[in-house]
Amino acid sequence: MNANTRLGLLALVAALSACSTLEGDKIDYKSATKGSTLEVPPDLTQLAKDSRYAVPGGTVSAAALQAGQQAAQPTAASQAAATSIGDVRIERDGNQRWLVVNRPADKLWEPVREFWLESGFVFTQDQANLGILETDWAENRAKLPQDVVRATLGKVFDSLYSTGERDKFRTRLERNANGGTDIFISHRGMIEVYTNTQKDQTVWQPRAADPELETEFLRRLMVKLGVSQEQSKAIAATAPTQQTPAARIATVNNAPVVQLAENFDRAWRRVGLALDRTGFTVEDRNRNDGLYFVRYVAPNADKKEPGFFGKLFGGSSAAVPPLKYRIAVRSEGNASTVSVLNEAGAPESSANAERIVRVIADELK
């Protein structure tokens, strides 16, 4: 089936289902692959605003959960607080939420793994030594129209009946100072858009991370870890917050940095989630030294990304080798600086460093 035929069928399905109502608050993910992923989008290609994305997998896409539960309104005076049931609690700081579980990370790894598999995902990264699980791109099938058209055509052209969006999630487990584990879930989204007025060609572009979708999966993970449905909903809805300080880009010793008016604990946590949400590949981290070891693929505006079928049948050009950097978080009192170091640990002032600093600052705002 050629690309024009596929797009025509997609347009037909979309037109027939335009008047249907989506199910608003359900999650039913279907992974784009059943085994190893074909190829994932390059690290941080989204730094180039005009980059084109070729998303792995078939024609199935993903949709983010629409507005989930309403979060409690933040107050400037309140501090990041926790509400708990048993040995599981949820904390919130700005638009970030995470779980704190009074169990060692090695006892939580398998339950967390099972949680994602039971939710309909497969993994592209499964590294217990780093405490990182990352899912493949997947489609939220509950967001598809549930009408007579879907019931009829969906059975025949199920892979073509698509929302035009995909989601993937990264879960990071970190041991905390009390012997327990902090669990972070971050979301990344892609959306398929037309590239011309004839609407016969599409590309995949990134869309904003969805904090409410992250919260919903944290809540469901709480249930997996022993909290009841009713308790998890109450806890996720009431965790108070504090105002999140703004991030500011500055230059220190001729190198670009991000400056934050907050202590090391908050800065380390926020930078880690920013790296997760923006698609850095984190190879290692050392909290004592305030370092994240990351891989970065520099955007290339002249490189044309092949479409899905080109990648499927080996039509892609040679991959650009990733560069290795260190993201350093340094703090003095309630002030922190985030900078980019090269692989040897020296300050980096290149164009890549400026791009990396900019994307981190944008996510921290």
Side-chain angles (χ1 to χ4, degrees):
M1 181 182 297
N2 61 38
N4 288 335
T5 302
R6 182 175 71 89
L7 288 168
L9 287 171
L10 283 171
L12 172 63
V13 171
L16 290 173
S17 59
C19 298
S20 61
T21 302
L22 301 184
E23 300 215 9
D25 59 354
K26 292 185 178 179
I27 291 179
D28 179 20
Y29 276 96
K30 179 179 180 181
S31 179
T33 60
K34 294 302 182 184
S36 299
T37 184
L38 295 172
E39 185 172 351
V40 295
D43 301 342
L44 285 186
T45 302
Q46 61 265 37
L47 288 177
K49 298 302 183 183
D50 59 353
S51 293
R52 293 188 176 187
Y53 286 76
V55 175
T59 54
V60 182
S61 342
L65 178 68
Q66 289 182 338
Q69 340 172 35
Q70 295 296 318
Q73 293 297 318
T75 58
S78 62
Q79 298 295 315
T83 307
S84 63
I85 295 293
D87 64 349
V88 181
R89 71 179 188 267
I90 190 168
E91 295 194 359
R92 181 182 177 190
D93 190 356
N95 70 348
Q96 298 179 5
R97 289 183 178 89
W98 67 99
L99 296 185
V100 179
V101 186
N102 293 330
R103 306 176 206 173
D106 58 346
K107 301 297 183 184
L108 291 169
W109 182 257
E110 282 305 318
V112 173
R113 244 185 127 262
E114 290 172 2
F115 166 76
W116 287 110
L117 293 173
E118 291 167 357
S119 298
F121 295 89
V122 296
F123 299 118
T124 60
Q125 191 174 4
D126 185 351
Q127 294 183 274
N129 60 320
L130 296 180
I132 293 177
L133 287 166
E134 185 167 283
T135 72
D136 202 351
W137 296 100
E139 176 188 30
N140 185 4
R141 306 294 286 179
K143 293 316 225 177
L144 291 172
Q146 305 297 317
D147 58 6
V148 66
V149 176
R150 168 85 168 94
T152 304
L153 292 183
K155 295 177 181 179
V156 181
F157 301 112
D158 191 60
S159 64
L160 293 174
Y161 208 104
S162 168
T163 61
E165 296 182 346
R166 282 192 180 176
D167 299 305
K168 75 183 313 181
F169 298 88
R170 182 180 295 177
T171 305
R172 180 161 45 89
L173 284 71
E174 285 195 7
R175 295 180 177 86
N176 58 40
N178 299 319
T181 305
D182 296 340
I183 303 177
F184 302 88
I185 293 177
S186 59
H187 164 254
R188 292 174 64 197
M190 302 286 276
I191 185 168
E192 190 175 20
V193 299
Y194 290 109
T195 59
N196 55 27
T197 56
Q198 290 76 28
K199 295 187 176 181
D200 58 1
Q201 293 181 354
T202 64
V203 294
W204 289 90
Q205 295 180 352
R207 72 182 198 278
D210 187 342
E212 293 302 327
L213 187 54
E214 295 168 350
T215 300
E216 174 62 15
F217 274 106
L218 284 171
R219 186 194 68 76
R220 292 181 179 217
L221 181 56
M222 293 179 75
V223 175
K224 174 70 175 179
L225 297 177
V227 177
S228 72
Q229 288 280 0
E230 293 75 16
Q231 291 170 330
S232 70
K233 290 178 181 179
I235 292 173
T238 59
T241 184
Q242 71 178 65
Q243 288 291 96
T244 301
R248 186 173 72 90
I249 296 178
T251 301
V252 176
N253 297 326
N254 297 319
V257 300
V258 181
Q259 294 179 334
L260 299 169
E262 53 195 11
N263 61 30
F264 177 80
D265 287 340
R266 290 194 69 201
W268 174 261
R269 182 175 63 245
R270 291 184 66 204
V271 169
L273 190 53
L275 295 176
D276 290 339
R277 282 177 172 171
T278 50
F280 283 87
T281 297
V282 179
E283 293 187 323
D284 202 355
R285 60 185 181 272
N286 186 328
R287 193 179 189 280
N288 291 334
D289 294 337
L291 294 174
Y292 289 96
F293 299 82
V294 303
R295 285 193 289 113
Y296 167 72
V297 176
N300 184 347
D302 297 327
K303 178 185 175 184
K304 291 185 178 180
E305 291 285 346
F308 164 69
F309 289 103
K311 289 189 173 183
L312 180 61
F313 296 110
S316 61
S317 57
V320 177
L323 301 173
K324 295 187 177 184
Y325 293 101
R326 304 178 187 184
I327 308 301
V329 181
R330 302 284 186 262
S331 302
E332 291 185 9
N334 289 323
S336 298
T337 300
V338 183
S339 60
V340 180
L341 312 179
N342 62 23
E343 189 174 4
E348 183 75 19
S349 57
S350 65
N352 283 342
E354 293 179 358
R355 292 188 187 99
I356 292 171
V357 163
R358 189 182 312 119
V359 79
I360 292 175
D362 288 344
E363 182 59 38
L364 292 176
K365 288 179 179 177

